[in-house]
Amino acid sequence: MSQAEIAKTLSLLFPPGSVLELRALRKSGGMASGYYTDINKLAHDAEILDFTNEYAGIYVILNKINPVLFSRRANRIEMRLSKEDKATCDEDILQRWWFPIDIDPKRPSGISSSDEEHDKALYKAGKIREFLSGMGWPEPVLADSGNGAHLLYRIDLPNDPESVHLIRQGLNVLSAFFSDEFSSIDTSVGKAAQLWKLYGTMAKKGDSVADRPHRRSRILSSPESFMLVPKELLVQLASLLPAPPKQEKTPVQRTTDTLDLGDWLNSHGLSFREKPYGGGRLFLFDQCPFSSAHSDGAYAIQFDNGAIFAGCHHNSCGGGEQRWQELRERYEGPKPKKNYEDRMKKWARERAIAKAEYYGNIDEPGLKPISQLLETDISEKAREILHYGDPIEYIRNSVAVDHEGDDVVSSCLIMSFASRSVLNSNGLHVLVTGESGKGKSHIFDTMIQHLPPDERLDGRLSNKALFYTEGLKPGTAICLDDMALSESMQETLKGVTTSFKRPFIYRTVNKDRKGQVCIIPERCVWWIAKVDGTGDEQVWNRMLTCWIDDSAEQDERVLARELASAEEFPEVFTDTRKEVLVCHEICRQVQPVHVVIPYAKRIRFTSSSNRRNPGMLLDLIKSHAALFQFQRQRVNRNGVDVVIASKEDFNFASLIYLELNSVSGGQITKLTKSESKLIELIRSTGKDEFTMKELVDMSGKTYEAIRKLLRGKGEKSSHCGLLEKCPAITYLMRTDMTDSGNRSQLVYVWNEMLYRAWSSGGGCWLAEDKDLDGKGSGNGGDGDAGDGNVDAGTRLSGVNGNFTESREDKGVFGDVQACSCSGKTDLVTGETGESETGGGENFSPPKEEYIEEYSKNKNNIKELVIDRRKFPGAESPYDPVCSPLSPPEVFLRSVEKSESENNLCPVLESEQKSGGEKFSPVFSDHQNFSPVTPVTPVAFVDPVDPVTLVPPATSVISVNPVTQVAPATKITAEKKAPSMVLSW
Ligand SMILES: [Zn+2]
């Protein structure tokens, strides 16, 4: 009976032919283990184990086991194994098949649960199932584990650090919501090689007694056909609760006015249950404060550092979006900034009346004195803000009155302006990119109005006009608005940004052909708006590179604001609001200072490959400190004011730094937003090869638009494309043999690992004090900025923290190297004497070096290739096949070899006409694609992979010899998941 039950379980949970491990843990220690492909044999052996009283539990492993393990104990059980004997470990797992939830009644260890405890666990399983189905999750397997309850959700994820992180954090979230005094959600079952109760066998913890009996585990219900949980839903679950901020050794200073969330909720009549979470407190609301449609699902967290998060997991409530500000405003009224003008007027009037009273001028309160007094008041207000307030927030709020959104851009502009006051800064300039009509000019115009009129140069400038502008003061902010940067202008920019601390002298010839010396004074900051990035990398490198928010939501907000303002009666009829005047005054009162960062040696970067970006972070810290100079420790050395930067300065700077490297800009990658979007699109498919046609179909853009994104505008335009900017995109000619003959086409190849290595570097953090051995960057695993604020940025880094982790992971890093070796740089491998796998296994070089090495290789590759030709012995086996027809240079990225463009032209034409379908007999020497043999998947891909319902089309199968899986196969299942019905 139980044998049939067990076999049924196995055929439900695993694809036929899978290698499964049966393991039983002996009560007296030690274990029994066997590997099976024959489920009936497994069920038979399991039943035998189940009969003896020696074993406390009988288990299988839920995920896909590397089939080579089968030969350890092929279809047989070995009973007397010790803990040291080999069994399946996490590294042996190829694919994650199940998201497991184990609801375990709380009771003393080593005994079975009582009936009541058992029932409560099953009831809770029902609640969790309801919770997840509310978020769009499909039907799970519900099982009785004997003592508690199980839920199993079908997933299909690679066994990589990202999956581990997703599953663990998902379990943490479920535990935060559902663990209580009766039962807990086991958060330790996220391991790849997790042992799982084999349903049909008995759970035999302790002795079976009347009120705590042994029970047989069994499946209670399962869907008729399984649906995959799409990865997006796992991400959503994992990000419902923000990751707790990194604990700092030195306790975070909690200012006395830090709000106590528990008190606040109580005082506003919100009832809740409270639990500890990540060193802070989690509050689960009894009634969702955001919606009356449901009661459960809303929560708030206060972390140890005081930061607060509030949200609701229901999709109609934002699905875990940060809504604390909104919640607070709902009970306390809107934030002051919205009716700031009222307050400002009232305040000015009160002052005026007070002064009028003082001077005995009561008869005409506020009439005459107001204009006179206002000036003093404004300067007092500015002083107050600089000494006790937050000047950045003040300026940002005032800018926000006129410009919707784009907070990061405003912050960058403010920091740029502040950098003028830092004597030891190299200056911060700002480059804003984004499509036209999305407000680039508008934010510049708005921000520049907040600067004192004599310290700004606005309007549109021609290159030459700049030099002829009379009386340009040192430290002027200069706006270049959406103009094409001529070559000479780029040169100028390079010059002025390099000589930030000195005047830039430029010799030119004027209209009358007379030599002329032009001077741009020192400490000028440059704000540049462009549709594309500028072409010159050196110019990019000196700029804080941010994107204008061009999302549809932003468009809506802008429109809504415009419509609302059309309905409004004006409150002030003057040109300049008073806050703007206060901002001018703030700028004037900030004094030039030298900033010292006492903790600079402890700053760590996830990547220091771009030498300028760390310098930018330092300048951001200094600029922030300069703005807060009246609130920092300050000493005078030899007549120079020295300000000591604090942790707050680092926190702010690192947040901006992170934003610029993630959602708000392409600081490291130098990508524009549309390029970044295309990359996100490519990455979201998980595929690693694309034809032009597929890219066009996928993106919904035109052929020309995609071509521009990939290849730039060609000719001498300053705009270059992704092929040049991003090393993870390459192209190659693929020749596949089909029934009708050879078919060649140009395909773009995506290398995810390389991309991660290349785009990493946005993170920075402060190392512990003890870690001062100058090891340099890259040896920490944490990309979190360590900032106390829980906002979108931090959440992002928390959830995606696994990216950083995975980069640190030696296995993955090995892949990166191996990938690049197997790709276009395989020729180099032979030259440097590195074995393809050796680099990965030893993992000695930190990744910065790797990237450096990579770019070195990139530059040297042509020479190396030429060298190779001189030494035939060094050639790879692929050379003889292809070299006469297509030299390897063709397969390098276009940037290195301009002549390769020519080679490809005919193909591009054909591609253009037929969308990549037409074939011409060009051979490929890419080692993945042999021109003579049809492409077939390699090891570890089941001949009949039951996960894949869509038969892999020959045109998209790509065999990746490094990872030993067929990516196309894997991804098909993943992406089609939401609507896909699965059966083994
Ligand atoms: Zn809600």
Side-chain angles (χ1 to χ4, degrees):
M1 178 60 209
S2 95
Q3 192 181 330
E5 178 102 28
I6 294 169
K8 208 178 99 195
T9 295
L10 295 172
S11 61
L12 187 75
L13 297 184
F14 303 102
S18 306
V19 170
L20 304 174
E21 186 192 351
L22 170 66
R23 208 186 301 174
L25 301 183
R26 205 178 300 121
K27 286 178 176 169
S28 54
M31 62 177 185
S33 159
Y35 289 88
Y36 295 85
T37 50
D38 178 346
I39 54 172
N40 291 318
K41 181 69 171 40
L42 191 160
H44 172 263
D45 291 357
E47 194 178 25
I48 293 173
L49 291 173
D50 201 26
F51 273 133
T52 75
N53 210 20
E54 243 181 275
Y55 298 94
I58 299 167
Y59 306 93
V60 285
I61 284 170
L62 282 175
N63 296 311
K64 182 175 184 176
I65 299 173
N66 186 341
V68 299
L69 297 194
F70 180 59
S71 59
R72 265 188 197 154
R73 299 177 275 278
N75 281 325
R76 65 181 180 88
I77 188 97
E78 207 159 298
M79 312 283 270
R80 302 254 153 219
L81 292 173
S82 74
K83 281 246 159 89
E84 285 68 45
D85 280 301
K86 286 248 160 36
T88 314
C89 58
D90 289 341
E91 292 73 43
D92 299 325
I93 300 301
L94 300 181
Q95 198 75 2
R96 307 287 299 242
W97 278 338
W98 293 100
F99 179 78
I101 302 170
D102 177 16
I103 301 122
D104 206 21
K106 280 197 179 149
R107 62 191 191 281
S109 66
I111 62 169
S112 293
S113 60
S114 71
D115 284 346
E116 192 195 349
E117 288 163 349
H118 182 240
D119 289 350
K120 276 190 171 149
L122 287 169
Y123 176 75
K124 186 174 285 174
K127 292 302 256 183
I128 295 174
R129 180 169 62 175
E130 212 173 282
F131 171 89
L132 290 173
S133 74
M135 288 170 69
W137 287 47
E139 197 57 14
V141 173
L142 169 66
D144 177 352
S145 69
N147 285 311
H150 283 170
L151 290 170
L152 287 174
Y153 286 90
R154 248 313 253 129
I155 56 175
D156 194 38
L157 297 175
N159 178 25
D160 60 14
E162 188 187 358
S163 303
V164 173
H165 177 85
L166 267 184
I167 291 167
R168 279 212 187 122
Q169 180 61 14
L171 291 173
N172 283 336
V173 168
L174 288 175
S175 172
F177 283 127
F178 291 101
S179 291
D180 57 18
E181 64 267 42
F182 303 114
S183 59
S184 55
I185 315 306
D186 191 343
T187 53
S188 69
V189 298
K191 293 187 292 290
Q194 178 64 38
L195 289 179
W196 201 252
K197 175 80 67 203
L198 174 56
Y199 304 128
T201 63
M202 295 290 283
K204 298 181 205 163
K205 283 217 173 118
D207 290 338
S208 186
V209 292
D211 60 337
R212 292 190 177 274
H214 289 170
R215 295 183 197 84
R216 188 169 294 283
S217 63
R218 63 203 172 101
I219 291 178
L220 297 174
S221 72
S222 72
E224 297 215 338
S225 51
F226 286 111
M227 308 251 284
L228 283 177
V229 179
K231 188 174 163 188
E232 298 75 55
L233 288 183
L234 283 164
V235 172
Q236 191 196 352
L237 176 67
S239 52
L240 275 187
L241 296 183
K246 263 288 184 253
Q247 299 285 322
E248 293 200 25
K249 270 265 167 69
T250 47
V252 186
Q253 292 172 355
R254 286 181 70 158
T255 46
T256 45
D257 62 343
T258 303
L259 181 140
D260 181 294
L261 185 56
D263 290 351
W264 189 89
L265 294 172
N266 278 325
S267 70
H268 290 97
L270 290 156
S271 60
F272 54 82
R273 282 175 298 138
E274 189 183 331
K275 285 182 185 185
Y277 174 78
R281 300 150 78 194
L282 170 67
F283 304 89
L284 298 167
F285 292 114
D286 294 333
Q287 166 66 45
C288 174
F290 306 107
S291 165
S292 53
H294 48 259
S295 54
D296 65 317
Y299 51 91
I301 302 166
Q302 183 157 36
F303 288 111
D304 199 28
N305 63 5
I308 294 177
F309 180 93
C312 171
H313 78 76
H314 285 280
N315 287 333
S316 58
C317 280
E321 288 297 306
Q322 162 70 296
R323 297 183 73 179
W324 163 238
Q325 207 57 52
E326 186 191 332
L327 184 65
R328 186 174 188 173
E329 284 181 9
R330 189 170 298 190
Y331 289 93
E332 292 183 353
K335 253 180 109 181
K337 78 170 178 190
K338 287 190 180 149
N339 47 18
Y340 193 81
E341 276 178 36
D342 288 349
R343 284 184 34 191
M344 188 76 186
K345 271 181 357 193
K346 196 170 154 233
W347 167 80
R349 197 170 174 79
E350 278 166 4
R351 289 275 183 122
I353 293 170
K355 292 212 172 179
E357 274 173 353
Y358 179 82
Y359 291 112
N361 193 9
I362 314 167
D363 292 304
E364 297 178 357
L367 261 184
K368 218 177 155 193
I370 222 169
S371 57
Q372 287 168 11
L373 292 177
L374 203 54
E375 214 167 305
T376 2
D377 283 342
I378 280 171
S379 101
E380 268 179 40
K381 180 72 190 166
R383 190 179 165 278
E384 185 189 315
I385 292 164
L386 282 168
H387 282 79
Y388 309 106
D390 182 341
I392 295 181
E393 205 193 14
Y394 187 87
I395 299 174
R396 258 195 331 213
N397 285 348
S398 176
V399 167
V401 172
D402 296 316
H403 183 91
E404 180 74 43
D406 293 316
D407 269 1
V408 175
V409 182
S410 321
S411 299
C412 287
L413 293 173
I414 295 169
M415 298 312 276
S416 164
F417 197 73
S419 74
R420 309 167 323 142
S421 308
V422 181
L423 295 171
N424 55 331
S425 164
N426 292 317
L428 289 172
H429 313 281
V430 180
L431 176 69
V432 179
T433 65
E435 290 174 17
S436 35
K438 296 289 184 182
K440 293 194 299 295
S441 314
H442 190 258
I443 191 162
F444 278 10
D445 286 348
T446 308
M447 183 56 80
I448 209 128
Q449 294 309 317
H450 285 75
L451 305 181
D454 53 341
E455 297 179 28
R456 66 194 197 208
L457 183 62
D458 44 351
R460 273 141 239 258
L461 283 181
S462 77
N463 296 344
K464 284 198 178 134
L466 186 57
F467 294 98
Y468 302 126
T469 307
E470 298 276 327
L472 205 55
K473 270 176 65 176
T476 302
I478 302 168
C479 272
L480 297 181
D481 195 352
D482 231 352
M483 54 190 283
L485 292 182
S486 67
E487 211 131 82
S488 72
M489 192 63 199
Q490 293 198 30
E491 278 307 307
T492 310
L493 270 180
K494 244 189 277 180
V496 290
T497 49
T498 315
S499 78
F500 181 69
K501 295 173 194 165
R502 297 177 306 280
F504 177 65
I505 299 165
Y506 185 72
R507 286 165 213 284
T508 182
V509 179
N510 69 9
K511 269 189 210 146
D512 311 323
R513 304 196 151 252
K514 281 189 182 154
Q516 188 170 1
V517 177
C518 305
I519 298 175
I520 293 181
E522 70 276 15
R523 316 195 78 77
C524 287
V525 289
W526 297 74
W527 299 351
I528 301 171
K530 281 203 94 230
V531 176
D532 318 311
T534 65
D536 192 303
E537 201 172 337
Q538 278 184 285
V539 175
W540 275 94
N541 279 343
R542 285 156 214 264
M543 304 267 165
L544 295 173
T545 307
C546 28
W547 293 329
I548 209 83
D549 184 353
D550 61 358
S551 63
E553 298 88 294
Q554 167 76 354
D555 288 348
E556 260 166 40
R557 284 192 293 266
V558 170
L559 178 64
R561 178 188 202 122
E562 206 169 329
L563 298 178
S565 85
E567 283 185 358
E568 262 172 28
F569 280 88
E571 285 176 350
V572 200
F573 282 96
T574 53
D575 284 342
T576 317
R577 283 182 291 115
K578 287 164 198 78
E579 300 95 296
V580 175
L581 296 175
V582 173
C583 290
H584 293 174
E585 194 53 34
I586 288 176
C587 294
R588 289 196 190 99
Q589 288 186 18
V590 170
Q591 291 163 15
V593 287
H594 183 106
V595 179
V596 168
I597 307 173
Y599 45 81
K601 273 192 236 157
R602 283 166 48 210
I603 301 176
R604 299 283 182 272
F605 298 91
T606 40
S607 163
S608 54
S609 60
N610 183 329
R611 300 236 168 115
R612 280 187 213 284
N613 283 335
M616 273 187 187
L617 179 80
L618 295 178
D619 275 346
L620 281 170
I621 298 172
K622 290 174 188 170
S623 302
H624 192 267
L627 270 179
F628 284 83
Q629 55 181 263
F630 301 111
Q631 301 175 37
R632 297 284 178 267
Q633 197 188 336
R634 219 175 144 138
V635 284
N636 192 294
R637 287 275 160 85
N638 306 326
V640 176
D641 274 329
V642 178
V643 165
I644 316 290
S646 76
K647 278 271 189 69
E648 279 85 338
D649 300 322
F650 175 81
N651 287 347
F652 182 89
S654 63
L655 201 66
I656 293 280
Y657 193 73
L658 185 73
E659 285 273 347
L660 291 182
N661 284 296
S662 53
V663 290
S664 304
Q667 191 66 39
I668 297 271
T669 58
K670 307 299 176 200
L671 298 179
T672 63
K673 195 158 188 178
S674 23
E675 286 164 350
S676 172
K677 276 184 181 165
L678 183 66
I679 284 187
E680 279 321 305
L681 191 67
I682 289 176
R683 297 185 68 207
S684 73
T685 67
K687 291 178 25 169
D688 48 20
E689 271 196 43
F690 298 87
T691 61
M692 194 66 170
K693 186 171 182 304
E694 284 171 325
L695 286 173
V696 168
D697 290 348
M698 236 163 54
S699 62
K701 292 189 175 224
T702 62
Y703 180 95
E704 261 315 304
I706 293 292
R707 193 188 142 77
K708 256 183 216 161
L709 283 177
L710 287 169
R711 292 176 175 268
K713 288 186 179 146
E715 275 102 66
K716 288 186 179 159
S717 155
S718 62
H719 177 55
C720 55
L722 277 175
L723 278 172
E724 181 169 345
K725 284 182 182 172
C726 173
I729 287 198
T730 51
Y731 57 85
L732 54 85
M733 285 307 306
R734 247 260 311 283
T735 308
D736 292 335
M737 231 174 59
T738 64
D739 295 341
S740 52
N742 283 344
R743 151 187 290 231
S744 281
Q745 61 180 339
L746 183 83
V747 290
Y748 292 92
V749 182
W750 177 251
N751 184 330
E752 176 70 19
M753 292 304 178
L754 191 54
Y755 174 78
R756 289 189 190 180
W758 173 70
S759 64
S760 67
C764 55
W765 68 99
L766 281 186
E768 298 296 337
D769 287 286
K770 61 178 161 45
D771 194 18
L772 260 178
D773 51 4
K775 257 188 277 173
S777 56
N779 52 355
D782 179 24
D784 202 310
D787 189 82
N789 287 327
V790 182
D791 58 11
T794 324
R795 271 163 57 75
L796 186 93
S797 80
V799 172
N800 288 348
N802 53 283
F803 265 51
T804 327
E805 280 164 30
S806 75
R807 273 184 255 113
E808 299 295 332
D809 182 78
K810 73 177 192 177
V812 173
F813 181 70
D815 275 355
V816 173
Q817 276 210 319
C819 278
S820 81
C821 290
S822 73
K824 59 191 173 304
T825 53
D826 68 318
L827 302 176
V828 179
T829 315
E831 302 297 327
T832 53
E834 278 175 37
S835 80
E836 274 196 13
T837 49
E841 276 164 11
N842 292 332
F843 183 64
S844 42
K847 59 190 173 304
E848 294 83 52
E849 278 176 45
Y850 158 63
I851 293 175
E852 242 168 53
E853 193 59 36
Y854 169 71
S855 54
K856 239 192 300 174
N857 286 346
K858 194 175 73 174
N859 297 331
N860 292 343
I861 196 158
K862 187 172 181 185
E863 287 159 40
L864 289 167
V865 167
I866 293 167
D867 280 347
R868 291 174 47 73
R869 312 247 149 208
K870 294 183 201 151
F871 304 104
E875 282 176 3
S876 79
Y878 302 97
D879 283 349
V881 182
C882 60
S883 42
L885 275 171
S886 54
E889 284 91 328
V890 174
F891 302 100
L892 304 178
R893 297 194 294 118
S894 60
V895 53
E896 292 106 14
K897 311 283 161 272
S898 55
E899 67 267 35
S900 66
E901 195 75 30
N902 300 334
N903 288 340
L904 274 165
C905 267
V907 184
L908 285 174
E909 259 173 48
S910 72
E911 181 196 2
Q912 205 155 355
K913 279 174 203 146
S914 64
E917 299 288 20
K918 192 175 169 184
F919 51 88
S920 54
V922 178
F923 287 106
S924 161
D925 72 344
H926 192 279
Q927 65 168 354
N928 288 348
F929 301 98
S930 154
V932 274
T933 46
V935 176
T936 47
V938 289
F940 307 157
V941 178
D942 300 328
V944 183
D945 190 340
V947 180
T948 315
L949 293 185
V950 181
T954 42
S955 61
V956 289
I957 278 205
S958 112
V959 179
N960 189 328
V962 178
T963 53
Q964 299 286 304
V965 292
T969 311
K970 173 182 75 194
I971 296 315
T972 316
E974 210 168 275
K975 291 319 286 182
K976 301 264 160 98
S979 58
M980 189 184 288
V981 179
L982 290 156
S983 59
W984 296 115

